[in-house]
Protein backbone atom coordinates (compact mmCIF):
# COMPACT_ATOMS: atom_id res chain seq x y z
CA UNK A 1 0.00 0.00 0.00
CA UNK A 2 1.23 3.47 -0.89
CA UNK A 3 0.83 5.58 2.26
CA UNK A 4 0.77 8.99 0.58
CA UNK A 5 -2.67 10.61 1.08
CA UNK A 6 -4.03 7.57 2.91
CA UNK A 7 -6.31 8.29 5.88
CA UNK A 8 -5.18 6.66 9.12
CA UNK A 9 -6.98 6.33 12.46
CA UNK A 10 -4.54 5.60 15.25
CA UNK A 11 -5.82 4.96 18.75
CA UNK A 12 -3.74 6.09 21.69
CA UNK A 13 -1.81 8.30 19.30
CA UNK A 14 -1.26 11.23 21.66
CA UNK A 15 1.87 9.99 23.39
CA UNK A 16 4.54 7.32 23.75
CA UNK A 17 4.71 4.69 21.00
CA UNK A 18 1.38 5.70 19.44
CA UNK A 19 2.63 9.25 18.99
CA UNK A 20 5.79 8.08 17.21
CA UNK A 21 3.77 5.83 14.88
CA UNK A 22 1.43 8.72 14.06
CA UNK A 23 4.34 11.02 13.24
CA UNK A 24 6.07 8.34 11.14
CA UNK A 25 2.93 7.84 9.05
CA UNK A 26 2.47 11.60 8.70
CA UNK A 27 6.02 11.84 7.36
CA UNK A 28 4.95 9.33 4.71
CA UNK A 29 2.19 11.75 3.67
CA UNK A 30 -0.76 10.10 5.42
CA UNK A 31 -3.58 12.12 6.94
CA UNK A 32 -4.10 11.32 10.61
CA UNK A 33 -7.16 10.81 12.78
CA UNK A 34 -5.61 10.98 16.24
CA UNK A 35 -7.58 9.24 18.99
CA UNK A 36 -7.12 9.91 22.68
CA UNK A 37 -9.08 9.22 25.84
CA UNK A 38 -7.85 11.44 28.69
CA UNK A 39 -4.66 12.79 27.06
CA UNK A 40 -6.25 15.71 25.21
CA UNK A 41 -3.41 18.15 25.95
CA UNK A 42 -0.82 15.71 24.63
CA UNK A 43 -3.04 14.99 21.61
CA UNK A 44 -3.18 18.69 20.75
CA UNK A 45 0.62 18.93 20.93
CA UNK A 46 1.05 15.85 18.72
CA UNK A 47 -1.56 17.13 16.27
CA UNK A 48 0.39 20.40 15.94
CA UNK A 49 3.56 18.43 15.15
CA UNK A 50 1.70 16.41 12.53
CA UNK A 51 0.19 19.48 10.87
CA UNK A 52 3.67 21.03 10.73
CA UNK A 53 4.60 18.16 8.40
CA UNK A 54 2.03 19.41 5.89
CA UNK A 55 -0.71 16.84 6.42
CA UNK A 56 -4.10 17.07 8.11
CA UNK A 57 -4.77 15.84 11.63
CA UNK A 58 -8.09 15.59 13.45
CA UNK A 59 -8.42 14.69 17.13
CA UNK A 60 -11.07 12.17 18.21
CA UNK A 61 -11.78 11.55 21.88
CA UNK A 62 -13.43 8.40 23.23
CA UNK A 63 -13.27 5.69 25.89
CA UNK A 64 -12.70 2.63 23.71
CA UNK A 65 -13.70 0.26 26.49
CA UNK A 66 -17.27 1.40 25.84
CA UNK A 67 -18.87 0.23 22.61
CA UNK A 68 -21.33 3.13 22.60
CA UNK A 69 -18.42 5.58 22.55
CA UNK A 70 -16.74 3.64 19.74
CA UNK A 71 -19.91 3.97 17.66
CA UNK A 72 -20.23 7.66 18.53
CA UNK A 73 -16.63 8.30 17.52
CA UNK A 74 -16.85 6.48 14.20
CA UNK A 75 -20.05 8.35 13.31
CA UNK A 76 -17.97 11.54 13.36
CA UNK A 77 -15.72 10.15 10.62
CA UNK A 78 -17.36 11.19 7.37
CA UNK A 79 -14.66 10.13 4.90
CA UNK A 80 -13.23 6.60 4.36
CA UNK A 81 -10.51 5.31 6.67
CA UNK A 82 -7.84 3.36 4.81
CA UNK A 83 -5.82 2.21 7.82
CA UNK A 84 -6.63 1.49 11.45
CA UNK A 85 -3.83 1.23 14.02
CA UNK A 86 -5.06 -0.18 17.34
CA UNK A 87 -2.36 1.23 19.60
CA UNK A 88 -4.27 2.36 22.70
CA UNK A 89 -3.49 0.13 25.66
CA UNK A 90 -3.79 -0.20 29.42
CA UNK A 91 -0.87 -1.63 31.39
CA UNK A 92 -0.23 -2.10 35.09
CA UNK A 93 1.02 -4.73 37.49
CA UNK A 94 -1.50 -7.25 38.85
CA UNK A 95 -0.01 -9.88 41.21
CA UNK A 96 -2.04 -13.01 40.59
CA UNK A 97 -3.56 -13.30 44.06
CA UNK A 98 -4.59 -9.65 44.10
CA UNK A 99 -6.37 -9.47 40.74
CA UNK A 100 -9.89 -8.06 41.03
CA UNK A 101 -12.78 -8.17 38.61
CA UNK A 102 -12.20 -4.45 38.05
CA UNK A 103 -8.56 -5.10 37.04
CA UNK A 104 -9.63 -7.86 34.68
CA UNK A 105 -12.37 -5.80 33.04
CA UNK A 106 -10.20 -2.69 32.68
CA UNK A 107 -7.34 -4.51 30.98
CA UNK A 108 -9.40 -6.83 28.78
CA UNK A 109 -11.81 -4.05 27.74
CA UNK A 110 -9.05 -1.60 26.82
CA UNK A 111 -6.70 -4.07 25.15
CA UNK A 112 -9.04 -6.56 23.50
CA UNK A 113 -12.70 -5.50 23.46
CA UNK A 114 -11.94 -2.03 22.14
CA UNK A 115 -9.78 -3.19 19.21
CA UNK A 116 -12.38 -5.81 18.28
CA UNK A 117 -15.39 -3.50 18.08
CA UNK A 118 -13.46 -0.69 16.43
CA UNK A 119 -12.09 -3.13 13.84
CA UNK A 120 -15.55 -4.55 13.29
CA UNK A 121 -16.92 -1.08 12.60
CA UNK A 122 -14.17 0.20 10.32
CA UNK A 123 -13.36 -3.04 8.48
CA UNK A 124 -16.96 -3.24 7.33
CA UNK A 125 -16.61 0.22 5.82
CA UNK A 126 -13.26 -0.69 4.25
CA UNK A 127 -14.70 -3.87 2.72
CA UNK A 128 -17.58 -1.92 1.21
CA UNK A 129 -15.10 0.47 -0.36
CA UNK A 130 -11.64 -0.03 -1.81
CA UNK A 131 -10.32 -2.10 1.10
CA UNK A 132 -7.86 -1.29 3.84
CA UNK A 133 -5.46 -2.47 6.52
CA UNK A 134 -5.54 -2.96 10.28
CA UNK A 135 -2.47 -3.17 12.50
CA UNK A 136 -2.84 -4.25 16.13
CA UNK A 137 -0.12 -3.31 18.60
CA UNK A 138 0.16 -6.44 20.73
CA UNK A 139 3.03 -7.41 23.04
CA UNK A 140 5.53 -10.25 23.11
CA UNK A 141 4.13 -11.08 26.58
CA UNK A 142 1.05 -12.33 24.77
CA UNK A 143 3.30 -15.17 23.62
CA UNK A 144 5.59 -15.46 26.66
CA UNK A 145 3.83 -13.95 29.70
CA UNK A 146 5.39 -11.68 32.32
CA UNK A 147 5.13 -12.61 35.99
CA UNK A 148 2.51 -10.58 37.90
CA UNK A 149 0.76 -9.27 34.77
CA UNK A 150 -1.68 -12.11 34.02
CA UNK A 151 -4.71 -10.05 32.85
CA UNK A 152 -2.53 -7.81 30.70
CA UNK A 153 -0.77 -10.79 29.12
CA UNK A 154 -4.10 -12.52 28.55
CA UNK A 155 -5.43 -9.41 26.81
CA UNK A 156 -2.43 -9.23 24.49
CA UNK A 157 -2.51 -12.96 23.83
CA UNK A 158 -6.15 -12.52 22.92
CA UNK A 159 -5.25 -9.65 20.61
CA UNK A 160 -2.74 -11.86 18.81
CA UNK A 161 -5.39 -14.54 18.26
CA UNK A 162 -7.93 -11.88 17.30
CA UNK A 163 -5.52 -10.57 14.68
CA UNK A 164 -5.43 -13.96 12.97
CA UNK A 165 -9.19 -14.45 13.23
CA UNK A 166 -9.96 -11.02 11.76
CA UNK A 167 -7.42 -11.57 8.99
CA UNK A 168 -9.40 -14.61 7.86
CA UNK A 169 -12.83 -13.05 8.31
CA UNK A 170 -12.07 -9.72 6.61
CA UNK A 171 -10.00 -11.09 3.70
CA UNK A 172 -9.48 -10.43 0.88
CA UNK A 173 -10.21 -6.68 0.88
CA UNK A 174 -8.95 -5.98 4.40
CA UNK A 175 -5.69 -7.33 5.79
CA UNK A 176 -5.01 -7.55 9.52
CA UNK A 177 -1.58 -7.92 11.09
CA UNK A 178 0.03 -7.24 14.46
CA UNK A 179 3.29 -5.95 15.85
CA UNK A 180 4.35 -7.49 19.16
CA UNK A 181 6.86 -5.16 20.84
CA UNK A 182 9.31 -6.38 23.42
CA UNK A 183 11.02 -4.05 25.92
CA UNK A 184 10.44 -0.64 24.38
CA UNK A 185 10.02 2.67 26.22
CA UNK A 186 9.90 1.41 29.79
CA UNK A 187 7.27 2.74 32.23
CA UNK A 188 8.34 5.99 33.89
CA UNK A 189 8.36 4.42 37.37
CA UNK A 190 11.07 1.88 36.42
CA UNK A 191 14.50 2.59 37.95
CA UNK A 192 17.67 2.71 35.85
CA UNK A 193 18.77 -0.57 37.41
CA UNK A 194 15.47 -2.20 36.38
CA UNK A 195 15.80 -0.89 32.83
CA UNK A 196 19.42 -2.10 32.61
CA UNK A 197 18.44 -5.55 33.88
CA UNK A 198 15.72 -5.84 31.24
CA UNK A 199 18.09 -4.64 28.51
CA UNK A 200 20.55 -7.36 29.50
CA UNK A 201 17.82 -9.97 28.94
CA UNK A 202 17.59 -9.14 25.23
CA UNK A 203 19.81 -10.75 22.61
CA UNK A 204 20.90 -7.32 21.36
CA UNK A 205 21.64 -5.98 24.84
CA UNK A 206 19.48 -2.86 24.73
CA UNK A 207 15.98 -1.48 25.10
CA UNK A 208 14.11 -0.87 21.86
CA UNK A 209 12.86 2.50 20.64
CA UNK A 210 9.40 3.64 19.52
CA UNK A 211 10.91 4.15 16.08
CA UNK A 212 11.64 0.41 15.92
CA UNK A 213 7.91 -0.22 16.32
CA UNK A 214 6.90 2.50 13.87
CA UNK A 215 9.24 1.04 11.25
CA UNK A 216 7.65 -2.40 11.73
CA UNK A 217 4.17 -0.92 11.29
CA UNK A 218 5.21 0.80 8.06
CA UNK A 219 6.78 -2.43 6.77
CA UNK A 220 3.51 -4.31 7.29
CA UNK A 221 1.46 -1.55 5.70
CA UNK A 222 3.64 -1.28 2.60
CA UNK A 223 3.73 -5.04 1.95
CA UNK A 224 0.44 -6.20 0.42
CA UNK A 225 1.18 -9.92 0.62
CA UNK A 226 1.28 -10.14 4.42
CA UNK A 227 -1.92 -11.02 6.25
CA UNK A 228 -2.59 -12.63 9.64
CA UNK A 229 1.03 -12.23 10.72
CA UNK A 230 2.41 -11.23 14.12
CA UNK A 231 5.77 -9.46 13.77
CA UNK A 232 7.73 -9.70 17.02
CA UNK A 233 10.01 -6.70 17.58
CA UNK A 234 11.73 -7.55 20.84
CA UNK A 235 15.48 -7.44 20.29
CA UNK A 236 15.55 -11.21 20.57
CA UNK A 237 14.09 -11.17 24.09
CA UNK A 238 11.80 -14.09 23.28
CA UNK A 239 14.70 -16.37 22.30
CA UNK A 240 16.98 -15.68 25.26
Amino acid sequence: MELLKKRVLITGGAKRVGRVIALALAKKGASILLHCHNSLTEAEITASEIKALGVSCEILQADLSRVDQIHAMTKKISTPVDILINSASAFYKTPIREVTEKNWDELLDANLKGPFFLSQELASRMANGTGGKIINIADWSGIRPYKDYAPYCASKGGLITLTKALARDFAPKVSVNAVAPGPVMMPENFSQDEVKAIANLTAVGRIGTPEDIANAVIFLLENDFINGTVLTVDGGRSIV
Side-chain angles (χ1 to χ4, degrees):
M1 174 184 279
E2 169 59 55
L3 299 178
L4 182 65
K5 296 184 179 180
K6 290 296 186 291
R7 194 163 167 82
V8 181
L9 170 57
I10 176 165
T11 69
K15 56 185 182 179
R16 294 177 65 82
V17 174
R19 170 185 171 276
V20 174
I21 295 171
L23 286 166
L25 293 171
K27 289 174 184 176
K28 288 280 188 175
S31 298
I32 307 297
L33 294 167
L34 193 72
H35 159 267
C36 70
H37 181 202
N38 295 316
S39 305
L40 185 57
T41 299
E42 292 91 337
E44 290 171 344
I45 293 170
T46 301
S48 295
E49 294 180 74
I50 290 170
K51 290 175 183 177
L53 295 171
V55 298
S56 66
C57 182
E58 179 183 348
I59 296 173
L60 299 170
Q61 195 168 11
D63 178 357
L64 300 182
S65 69
R66 292 180 52 185
V67 177
D68 61 332
Q69 290 201 27
I70 290 174
H71 291 327
M73 182 182 76
T74 57
K75 283 181 180 178
K76 296 176 183 177
I77 303 171
S78 57
T79 54
V81 172
D82 303 294
I83 297 166
L84 168 63
I85 311 290
N86 284 309
S87 178
S89 183
F91 174 83
Y92 56 84
K93 193 172 185 177
T94 50
I96 194 67
R97 291 176 178 80
E98 300 172 18
V99 175
T100 65
E101 183 179 10
K102 182 175 182 290
N103 298 148
W104 180 268
D105 289 345
E106 284 179 346
L107 291 162
L108 270 290
D109 285 356
N111 299 344
L112 186 57
K113 185 174 84 172
F116 173 78
F117 283 102
L118 186 54
S119 297
Q120 180 192 58
E121 179 75 23
L122 292 184
S124 297
R125 296 189 191 185
M126 292 175 185
N128 289 330
T130 58
K133 297 197 174 190
I134 297 172
I135 305 290
N136 294 320
I137 305 302
D139 193 298
W140 81 283
S141 69
I143 303 168
R144 185 174 167 185
Y146 306 136
K147 179 180 172 57
D148 291 333
Y149 289 85
Y152 173 79
C153 296
S155 71
K156 292 299 185 176
L159 187 59
I160 287 170
T161 301
L162 180 64
T163 296
K164 298 176 182 181
L166 296 183
R168 294 195 68 177
D169 288 346
F170 291 144
K173 294 189 70 174
V174 179
S175 66
V176 187
N177 293 291
V179 175
V184 172
M185 210 172 189
M186 296 294 95
E188 294 175 0
N189 62 341
F190 275 33
S191 68
Q192 288 190 350
D193 287 342
E194 286 176 307
V195 173
K196 184 177 180 181
I198 292 170
N200 289 337
L201 291 173
T202 69
V204 299
R206 68 172 178 87
I207 298 297
T209 68
E211 288 75 15
D212 293 324
I213 308 307
N215 290 337
V217 169
I218 289 170
F219 167 74
L220 290 173
L221 291 174
E222 292 184 333
N223 191 314
D224 292 331
F225 199 58
I226 300 177
N227 194 21
T229 289
V230 179
L231 179 56
T232 305
V233 186
D234 68 349
R237 176 67 184 93
S238 55
I239 60 171
V240 173

